Amino acid sequence: MKNDKWKDMRSTLSPAFTGSRLRQMFELINQVAEDSTNYLHKLHSKESCNGIELNLKDYATRFTNDAIASTAFGLQVNSFEEKDNTFYMLGRKATSFSFWMNLRLLLIIQCKGLAKLLRIEFVDKNSTKYFCQLVLDAFKYRKERNIRRPDIINLLMEARGLFPTDSPKAHNREWTDTEMVAQCFLFFFGGFETMATLICFAAYELMGNPIVQEKLFEEVEEINKRREGKRLTYEDLQGMKYLEMVVNETLRKWPPIITLNRICTKDFLFEADGERMEIKKGEVILVPVSGIHRDPQYYPNPDSFDPERFSAENKDQIKPFTFLPFGEGPRNCIASRFATLEAKAILYYLVRDFRITAAKRTALPIELEKNGLRVAPINGFWLKLIARNKI
C-alpha cells in the first residue's frame, strides 16, 4: 500500500499494539509459552535425565506459529501435540525461502512490471486460498455469535464496523476482503520465521556465554520466586531489564532481516562525506542492517555478545539509526513490541526450567548458510536442554 491508503491501514492497525492491547494479548502468548514448555518437560522425562538434544528451530517455529494463530487468527492450535496440523504446514510452506521463492521475491521487488506481466505471485495459491477462507470464516462466525477476543481479527472487524468500538475512526475508507486477509497474513508472514530465528540465536548465545545465561537466570528466578506459583504477568516481563538487554543484543548481532528495502517517492540528492548521490523516484534502496550492526565504529568488538551495550548506562551512547532490527521511520515494523514480548516470554520459561548447553551436533563456532535471504546455521540450531531440577 502507498500514500494515504497505507496511512489509513496503519492507523487502523496501530491500536492492536498499544500497551493495553499487548497486555491482553500477552495472556494468549503466555498460554502458548506454557504449553510449549510442558512439551519440553514431557520430552525430558521420556528421553533421558541427562537432558534432551533438539533442533531448536523446529521448536521455535511451532511456538511462533501457535502464538500467531492465537493472537492474529483466533485459533487454538497446539503444534507440539498435533505436529502436522494444516495451519502449521501451510504456514511453514508459505514462509520457506526456497530458491524459487527467493527468485520470485527478487523479481517482485526489482522488476515489478515484469512480475505483474508474468503474473508472478509471492505466495502459492493453496496457501492464499486457505488463509482467505480462514479469515473470512472467522469474521462470519464471530459476527453471528458475537464473539469478542483480544486479537487482530477483532480489531479488523471493529475497523469494518462489524463490532462497535470506543476508538475514534481515523478514516472512512472501506476495506475489501482481500485487504483484510492480507493484514492477517502479513502479520503471520512477518513474525513466523523472523521471531523463531531471534529465539534460536538468543538461546545459542546463552549457550555460548554461560555467565550471561547465569545472570539472566538470576533475574528470572527473582521474578519466579516473587510470583509464588502464580502465572507470569505482562508487567513482570516488561520489568525484566536484563532479559530486554539480552534480546536487544541478539537483535543487534543477529538481525532477523539482514537488509531493509525502501522505495524512493521523489527525486532526492544525498550528500555525505563530500560525496553526492542522486536517487531517482521509484528506485529501491537497500539498507544493510547486518553490516551496520557489525560495524566496529558503532559497536566495538561487534562479534562479541555483550548485553551490557543496552544497559541503562550505555544505551544512550548508541548512535541513532545504527540499531535497525525493526527498521526506522514511519514504516518501521508495527509489531515490534509484540515480537519482543513473544521472544521474552519463551526465553523466560526456557531459562527458568532448563540449562542451555551444547549438544553433540552443535556447531562451534557457528557456520552460516551462504545462500538465501535469511541468516541460519548450515546444520540447524542443535542445543541441549537440561532440566534445572535434575542438576
Side-chain angles (χ1 to χ4, degrees):
M1 291 183 178
K2 298 178 182 179
N3 305 323
D4 289 342
K5 191 174 186 180
W6 170 79
K7 290 179 182 177
D8 288 347
M9 182 59 83
R10 180 84 177 197
S11 63
T12 295
L13 294 177
S14 291
F17 304 103
T18 60
S20 59
R21 289 275 189 167
L22 286 172
R23 187 176 289 102
Q24 292 176 313
M25 280 199 276
F26 174 71
E27 296 301 318
L28 306 177
I29 296 171
N30 195 38
Q31 183 60 57
V32 175
E34 288 180 339
D35 291 343
S36 64
T37 307
N38 291 336
Y39 165 77
L40 290 177
H41 280 293
K42 287 180 183 178
L43 279 184
H44 199 283
S45 61
K46 286 180 182 178
E47 294 190 10
S48 170
C49 61
N50 295 321
I52 51 174
E53 296 190 7
L54 76 162
N55 185 348
L56 198 68
K57 186 62 176 293
D58 179 74
Y59 171 81
T61 53
R62 293 180 185 279
F63 166 72
T64 56
N65 176 82
D66 293 2
I68 294 171
S70 180
T71 55
F73 295 88
L75 292 178
Q76 295 299 313
V77 179
N78 191 327
S79 299
F80 299 99
E81 301 296 335
E82 190 183 346
K83 292 187 177 294
D84 295 331
N85 67 80
T86 304
F87 188 86
Y88 177 75
M89 297 305 290
L90 280 177
R92 187 173 179 179
K93 181 181 179 182
T95 56
S96 296
F97 276 73
S98 63
F99 170 79
W100 293 109
M101 196 169 186
N102 287 335
L103 183 60
R104 291 201 301 268
L105 180 61
L106 187 64
L107 282 170
I108 290 169
I109 292 176
Q110 299 290 357
C111 309
K112 277 190 173 181
L114 179 61
K116 191 173 182 180
L117 181 65
L118 298 177
R119 296 184 179 179
I120 294 174
E121 295 180 354
F122 184 54
V123 182
D124 71 274
K125 291 183 179 179
N126 287 336
S127 297
T128 298
K129 183 178 179 181
Y130 172 78
F131 281 105
C132 282
Q133 200 64 50
L134 185 68
V135 174
L136 297 179
D137 284 351
F139 279 5
K140 182 179 178 182
Y141 184 83
R142 293 191 190 190
K143 177 64 177 175
E144 290 174 349
R145 292 164 176 78
N146 195 31
I147 296 174
R148 309 296 293 270
R149 204 168 181 268
D151 57 23
I152 302 297
I153 283 186
N154 198 93
L155 191 74
L156 291 172
M157 292 182 71
E158 290 176 358
R160 228 178 183 189
L162 299 175
F163 280 154
T165 176
D166 295 330
S167 302
K169 198 170 182 181
H171 57 85
N172 296 312
R173 192 184 299 276
E174 293 297 324
W175 302 114
T176 66
D177 286 347
T178 300
E179 289 165 341
M180 293 285 100
V181 173
Q183 306 317 308
C184 291
F185 179 76
L186 186 61
F187 186 67
F188 178 85
F189 183 82
F192 180 87
E193 177 74 19
T194 54
M195 285 307 98
T197 300
L198 166 60
I199 293 164
C200 289
F201 274 119
Y204 180 88
E205 290 292 353
L206 291 172
M207 175 273 298
N209 296 274
I211 294 176
V212 174
Q213 184 176 169
E214 186 58 29
K215 188 171 180 179
L216 179 57
F217 173 68
E218 290 173 3
E219 183 180 57
V220 167
E221 188 68 358
E222 181 184 343
I223 295 294
N224 190 42
K225 288 180 180 178
R226 190 192 310 163
R227 296 308 301 160
E228 297 181 336
K230 297 177 183 177
R231 295 190 78 186
L232 183 69
T233 68
Y234 174 81
E235 287 74 20
D236 290 332
L237 212 55
Q238 293 299 88
M240 296 180 66
K241 300 304 180 186
Y242 196 70
L243 176 57
E244 183 175 356
M245 290 160 58
V246 167
V247 169
N248 282 337
E249 175 65 350
T250 305
L251 288 167
R252 195 276 310 171
K253 188 176 178 182
W254 305 105
I257 302 296
I258 59 176
T259 62
L260 295 170
N261 65 291
R262 293 291 184 266
I263 298 174
C264 185
T265 58
K266 61 181 180 180
D267 292 348
F268 181 75
L269 184 63
F270 180 76
E271 298 183 75
D273 300 326
E275 295 187 18
R276 294 157 61 92
M277 178 185 295
E278 190 175 358
I279 305 171
K280 296 289 187 180
K281 179 179 179 180
E283 289 184 336
V284 177
I285 308 300
L286 295 180
V287 181
V289 176
S290 187
I292 294 171
H293 285 192
R294 295 282 185 124
D295 193 326
Q297 69 173 309
Y298 305 128
Y299 299 99
N301 301 314
D303 292 333
S304 66
F305 185 80
D306 182 11
E308 294 299 329
R309 300 181 203 270
F310 293 91
S311 67
E313 298 78 18
N314 296 330
K315 64 182 181 181
D316 289 340
Q317 299 175 23
I318 296 174
K319 189 175 180 179
F321 307 108
T322 62
F323 183 59
L324 304 164
F326 298 107
E328 275 289 356
R331 281 184 176 264
N332 70 335
C333 177
I334 191 174
S336 59
R337 293 174 65 196
F338 173 89
T340 53
L341 183 67
E342 189 181 354
K344 288 176 185 177
I346 193 61
L347 288 172
Y348 170 87
Y349 287 105
L350 274 177
V351 173
R352 187 195 70 176
D353 291 5
F354 298 94
R355 184 160 57 90
I356 306 169
T357 64
K360 292 178 182 178
R361 298 170 67 178
T362 302
L364 293 169
I366 198 167
E367 295 181 62
L368 299 178
E369 291 182 354
K370 295 177 176 61
N371 57 358
L373 300 175
R374 298 280 170 85
V375 180
I378 292 174
N379 297 314
F381 289 94
W382 285 93
L383 296 171
K384 185 176 182 178
L385 302 179
I386 303 173
R388 290 189 180 272
N389 59 8
K390 298 289 184 182
I391 299 173

